[in-house]
């Protein structure tokens, strides 16, 4: 019935709380073989029956009276249990929260770049924290930050939902979005279909007379991390950065006189 010859029990140490074969020391047990109830019998007879079939006697319900044991292949049982746990670990992947930073006046091409990666993180099953970083007097116009966040939500509306509404944390306006159900599965299927279509097109082109081998283009920024994506936004920017290019008379100050220009050499000679 299995690879172990009759008369040889599995000698491995059972998992905690599970007794097998000669470790079962109660005088009588209730026995199950496959799906058949064999009833109550002395433990030594159940052991002999399991040995004859080349299987193991496994105590599955020790608190019952009498204890319930099943005649089975213990090695196969352990393998299937380990496989189930492995599948459960794959499904229960860890959800991370990624952070993407914006400025209140984010340009359109920068917006497209960042939204692309927001969508990539969402399709990977991660939550995304959207942070609008204000600098200098920008903090007096929070509506501009709200407009940026609303724009991102609008561009990701098909795959994301708002988990935490906008709120201010110092000079940062924060919002958290999370992927909708089945987004990860659908994204994986779409990616798989796109790769298959691309390979089919390449194979067809290769089979054509005079067809040249075409190397598919690979997006260079598909594996960028948060630091690289947020390189254009610095939380530690000084307020002076905004004031550096401001008109000194805007706040009622005196204008700084322009430095005198140096006269050309020929004009200086005439003087």
């Amino acid at each position: 019935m299995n690879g172990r010859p009759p008369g040889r029990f599995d000698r491995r140490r059972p998992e905690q709380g599970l007794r097998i074969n000669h470790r079962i020391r109660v005088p009588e047990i209730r026995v199950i073989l496959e799906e058949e109830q064999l009833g109550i019998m002395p433990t030594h007879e159940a052991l002999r029956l399991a040995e004859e079939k080349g299987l193991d006697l496994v105590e599955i319900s020790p608190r019952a009276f009498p204890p319930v044991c099943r005649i089975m292949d213990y090695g196969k049982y352990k393998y299937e249990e380990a496989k189930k746990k492995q599948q459960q670990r794959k499904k229960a992947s860890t959800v991370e929260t990624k952070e993407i930073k914006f400025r209140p006046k984010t340009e359109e091409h920068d917006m497209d770049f960042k939204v692309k990666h927001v969508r990539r993180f969402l399709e990977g099953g991660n939550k995304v924290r959207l942070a609008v970083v204000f600098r200098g007097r920008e903090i007096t116009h929070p509506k501009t930050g709200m407009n940026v966040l609303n724009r991102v939500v609008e561009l990701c509306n098909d795959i994301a939902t708002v988990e935490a509404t906008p709120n201010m944390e110092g000079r940062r306006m924060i919002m958290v979005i999370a992927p909708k159900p089945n987004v990860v599965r659908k994204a994986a299927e779409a990616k798989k279909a796109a790769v298959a279509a691309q390979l089919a097109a390449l194979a067809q082109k290769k089979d054509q007379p005079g067809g040249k081998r075409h190397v598919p283009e690979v997006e260079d920024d598909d594996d960028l991390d948060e630091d690289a994506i947020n390189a254009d936004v610095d939380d530690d920017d000084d307020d002076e950065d905004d004031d550096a290019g401001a008109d000194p008379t805007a706040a009622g100050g005196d204008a700084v006189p322009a430095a005198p220009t140096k006269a050309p050499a020929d004009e200086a000679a005439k003087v």
Side-chain angles (χ1 to χ4, degrees):
M1 190 174 294
N2 67 344
R4 189 171 66 247
R8 296 188 62 183
F9 283 136
D10 193 327
R11 299 296 182 184
R12 77 190 73 188
R13 182 177 292 276
E15 63 184 31
Q16 187 69 24
L18 190 64
R19 296 186 295 183
I20 64 172
N21 299 328
H22 294 292
R23 295 178 183 274
I24 303 172
R25 295 188 171 90
V26 293
E28 61 180 16
I29 55 176
R30 186 181 300 275
V31 182
I32 302 173
L33 175 59
E34 295 179 349
E35 300 304 323
E36 182 182 358
Q37 295 273 353
L38 300 184
I40 298 174
M41 64 175 64
T43 303
H44 65 87
E45 288 187 14
L47 284 169
R48 179 180 56 80
L49 180 60
E51 187 176 358
E52 289 175 355
K53 294 182 176 296
L55 299 172
D56 302 293
L57 185 66
V58 183
E59 186 180 53
I60 59 174
S61 184
R63 295 186 179 278
F65 185 79
V68 179
C69 298
R70 183 184 292 274
I71 296 176
M72 67 169 74
D73 185 339
Y74 182 68
K76 183 179 179 181
Y77 165 78
K78 290 293 292 179
Y79 171 77
E80 291 176 349
E81 287 296 305
K83 197 171 182 180
K84 287 179 184 177
K85 290 180 181 179
Q86 185 179 15
Q87 292 296 329
Q88 290 172 354
R89 283 195 297 269
K90 285 183 179 179
K91 292 180 180 179
S93 55
T94 304
V95 176
E96 298 182 18
T97 300
K98 305 290 187 177
E99 182 174 83
I100 302 297
K101 300 176 185 177
F102 299 84
R103 294 298 310 279
K105 299 177 182 179
T106 301
E107 299 292 338
E108 191 65 27
H109 65 278
D110 290 333
M111 174 67 73
D112 294 340
F113 170 77
K114 289 176 180 287
V115 167
K116 171 187 172 182
H117 291 287
V118 169
R119 294 180 65 92
R120 176 168 67 90
F121 290 142
L122 290 168
E123 290 173 349
N126 300 299
K127 299 179 182 180
V128 181
R129 180 188 298 111
L130 309 175
V132 178
V133 181
F134 294 92
R135 190 173 58 183
R137 289 188 297 272
E138 291 174 345
I139 195 69
T140 62
H141 302 285
K143 188 176 179 180
T144 58
M146 183 68 72
N147 291 339
V148 171
L149 296 179
N150 289 338
R151 177 64 173 156
V152 177
V153 171
E154 179 184 352
L155 294 172
C156 299
N157 186 50
D158 57 322
I159 62 172
T161 58
V162 176
E163 186 174 89
T165 55
N167 67 291
M168 293 298 299
E169 295 182 6
R171 288 187 169 271
R172 292 154 51 99
M173 181 178 288
I174 304 295
M175 172 190 280
V176 179
I177 58 177
K180 290 182 177 180
N182 298 324
V183 164
V184 178
R185 178 181 58 80
K186 291 178 180 178
E189 290 175 354
K191 187 174 182 180
K192 186 177 180 180
V195 170
Q198 190 177 47
L199 292 176
L202 290 175
Q204 184 178 5
K205 190 172 183 179
K206 186 178 179 181
D207 293 340
Q208 293 176 353
K212 295 182 179 180
R213 179 179 176 82
H214 174 71
V215 179
E217 296 182 0
V218 179
E219 295 285 350
D220 294 334
D221 57 0
D222 273 354
D223 58 349
L224 290 181
D225 60 11
E226 296 164 77
D227 291 338
I229 299 169
N230 297 324
D232 62 323
V233 181
D234 188 359
D235 284 325
D236 298 327
D237 284 337
D238 293 327
D239 294 349
E240 297 174 359
D241 292 344
D242 263 2
D243 299 337
D247 184 357
T249 62
D254 296 328
V256 179
T261 57
K262 186 177 181 182
D266 55 346
E267 294 183 5
K270 293 179 182 179
V271 176

